[in-house]
Amino acid sequence: CGTTSLLPMTPKKPQQWLQVVGHAGSFHVGDYGTLLKRFCEGEQQCYLRLMEDTLKPFVPAYHGVVQRDEQDYNMMDNLLTHFNTPAVMDCKMGSRTYLERELLLAKERPQPGNDMYEKMVAVDPEAPTVQERTQQAVLKTRYMQWRETLSSTTSLGFRIEGFRKSNEECHTNFKRTKSRDQVMAAFNNFVESNTHIVWGYLRRLKELRQVLEESVFFRTHEVVGSSLLFLHDWKGRTGVWMIDFGKTAALPAHLSLDHRTPWVEGNREDGYLWGLDNLIDILSNMLPL
Ligand code: ATP
Ligand code: MG
Ligand code: MG
């Protein structure tokens, strides 16, 4: 496959890997502690740039493209490798999880949809406007923006996608987890009230924030739909890494983002750092004074 020389020469042993959320069937466990994720060119470009950026210690190491059963995969480190039956949480960062490009595409199809209307009513019968009710349909753009206000994405700049505790207990129903108190309760459940673990996460998140503020990659990309993956185990080991760059888009040369300025259509801001500020604040409040 031509990538073998890039791999660290660690002995081959059976690898543990568990997917918390995301598209099922996109992943395979690779050899030597690696993970294969279904190929996406945009994501490959990001990983190649990230390997040359100050953010490198905060993303899984990237090992190139491999093929399996005629399908291409991006090969990266399996972050679970250095943990003992870890607890895993996926937090999707940013104040929106669709790209500006996706919004523009949705606008080109201004046909209100009944399927989206039905989904909206199923979650919240009060959500549709009088007009939407009459039409029994909503616009795609309206649906996209409404969906983000259900969780903490719009109000806090991140949302919990799901977590799995080391006892295999799985929680993925956070679509309506919105308030700081709800988020804090979910984190508290995830860490099982262990303040040592919270300390570990906070230290790492503060380091990440410093590096993000200086990173050239970060300044020059709209980072949407990307997650922070939280890992801890019973030995007290903790770690946080950035994953999922399938929707991360390079900006035109004249543009750069601070990731804190509120988004207005056209400015491309994603609220990533604002979300990280809020996340750090919430975790800080879980510690005794
Ligand atoms: P989405 O639906 O968010 O677009 P996706 O299909 O792009 O998801 P990812 O978000 O990259 O997939 O990953 C899904 C899950 O797989 C993560 O929540 C995590 O549990 C696991 N995962 C992904 N990358 C790694 C990694 N490098 N090491 C360990 N686990 C990983
Ligand atoms: Mg993801
Ligand atoms: Mg993705």
Side-chain angles (χ1 to χ4, degrees):
C1 62
T3 61
T4 321
S5 61
L6 287 168
L7 296 173
M9 296 312 283
T10 48
K12 192 169 163 179
K13 60 169 185 179
Q15 289 303 321
Q16 49 162 2
W17 184 69
L18 294 155
Q19 181 175 355
V20 185
V21 291
H23 304 108
S26 295
F27 292 89
H28 289 289
V29 176
D31 293 336
Y32 306 104
T34 63
L35 189 66
L36 313 182
K37 180 176 177 181
R38 190 177 290 260
F39 182 78
C40 153
E41 197 188 339
E43 187 157 41
Q44 175 194 35
Q45 290 307 312
C46 287
Y47 272 112
L48 288 172
R49 290 180 199 132
L50 283 163
M51 290 303 102
E52 306 295 322
D53 192 86
T54 49
L55 278 173
K56 188 177 177 185
F58 293 91
V59 298
Y62 178 67
H63 301 293
V65 183
V66 295
Q67 244 193 9
R68 260 209 199 172
D69 302 329
E70 317 219 321
Q71 169 66 48
D72 284 345
Y73 293 89
N74 280 318
M75 187 187 225
M76 65 188 84
D77 276 356
N78 174 359
L79 297 167
L80 273 59
T81 306
H82 301 290
F83 291 84
N84 284 291
T85 49
V88 187
M89 179 189 272
D90 183 305
C91 252
K92 200 162 271 206
M93 300 302 292
S95 54
R96 62 188 158 89
T97 61
Y98 49 83
L99 288 163
E100 284 203 7
R101 177 162 41 79
E102 294 176 277
L103 198 61
L104 290 175
L105 275 175
K107 278 187 180 167
E108 284 170 13
R109 278 183 250 110
Q111 197 60 256
N114 172 258
D115 49 332
M116 292 180 286
Y117 176 84
E118 295 295 343
K119 281 193 220 169
M120 191 184 243
V121 174
V123 175
D124 181 2
E126 305 290 300
T129 62
V130 174
Q131 193 195 1
E132 286 164 347
R133 222 168 297 232
T134 319
Q135 296 184 330
Q136 299 274 299
V138 296
L139 286 169
K140 175 99 188 272
T141 47
R142 153 95 166 115
Y143 179 76
M144 285 164 74
Q145 289 172 321
W146 164 78
R147 211 174 34 185
E148 309 262 76
T149 64
L150 291 177
S151 70
S152 54
T153 289
T154 313
S155 56
L156 292 172
F158 70 88
R159 68 168 179 251
I160 297 172
E161 289 275 281
F163 65 78
R164 187 181 191 281
K165 303 213 283 197
S166 52
N167 66 5
E168 299 185 2
E169 202 179 299
C170 242
H171 298 259
T172 53
N173 189 12
F174 295 104
K175 286 193 172 59
R176 307 200 71 177
T177 298
K178 184 168 180 168
S179 72
R180 300 175 80 87
D181 287 347
Q182 287 174 316
V183 170
M184 203 187 282
F187 261 97
N188 203 41
N189 181 0
F190 173 60
V191 302
E192 304 185 51
S193 308
N194 184 334
T195 49
H196 167 84
I197 303 290
V198 178
W199 269 115
Y201 281 146
L202 267 174
R203 199 180 316 117
R204 176 83 169 163
L205 289 175
K206 287 176 182 173
E207 284 167 14
L208 171 63
R209 178 163 62 182
Q210 270 192 334
V211 176
L212 284 170
E213 283 170 341
E214 302 298 324
S215 157
V216 175
F217 176 90
F218 196 53
R219 196 161 44 233
T220 56
H221 287 76
E222 181 185 359
V223 185
V224 161
S226 175
S227 286
L228 289 178
L229 197 67
F230 290 75
L231 293 166
H232 67 266
D233 63 19
W234 58 273
K235 284 186 165 177
R237 250 189 81 91
T238 55
V240 184
W241 285 269
M242 296 171 78
I243 61 161
D244 196 359
F245 301 98
K247 276 198 192 182
T248 293
L251 297 168
H254 63 277
L255 205 63
S256 70
L257 304 182
D258 65 29
H259 303 273
R260 282 194 176 99
T261 301
W263 176 57
V264 288
E265 234 183 294
N267 77 356
R268 310 276 304 255
E269 287 289 352
D270 53 35
Y272 191 112
L273 271 182
W274 174 63
L276 185 54
D277 291 338
N278 285 326
L279 187 52
I280 287 173
D281 193 55
I282 289 169
L283 288 179
S284 302
N285 279 301
M286 288 170 65
L287 294 171
L289 287 174

